[in-house]
Amino acid sequence: MSSWKRQLVTSALLDQYKLPYQKSWFKDTNNNETIRSWYEYNRDYLGYRLAVKDISYQVNLTNYGMAAPVLINKAELAY
């Protein structure tokens, strides 16, 4: 395991082996390129590493008025 800490990994190498990773994993908190090791890759990617791709909201509406309900198949919020 100590040798994994010294062996560096690059995005090109991960692409070559078709291994999953997030592009941002090679950036530090200041958005600068950073160097990673195989140890870090196994630590961070062995198991689940979930990321939000899309966010959607579901709203359940109740009509308390006297008008007949209107059928709505899809609603979208605009801002």
Side-chain angles (χ1 to χ4, degrees), residues 29-67:
T29 55
N30 295 323
N31 208 31
N32 298 316
E33 292 290 327
T34 189
I35 298 170
R36 296 293 190 162
S37 68
W38 277 111
Y39 175 83
E40 291 173 299
Y41 180 81
N42 286 315
R43 177 197 67 197
D44 294 343
Y45 285 94
L46 191 62
Y48 292 103
R49 185 176 176 99
L50 304 176
V52 175
K53 285 183 135 182
D54 295 310
I55 296 178
S56 63
Y57 298 94
Q58 179 178 345
V59 178
N60 296 318
L61 300 175
T62 302
N63 180 12
Y64 290 104
M66 293 195 182

Side-chain angles (χ1 to χ4, degrees), residues 3 15 20 28 44 60:
S3 66
D15 289 338
D28 65 14
D44 294 343
N60 296 318

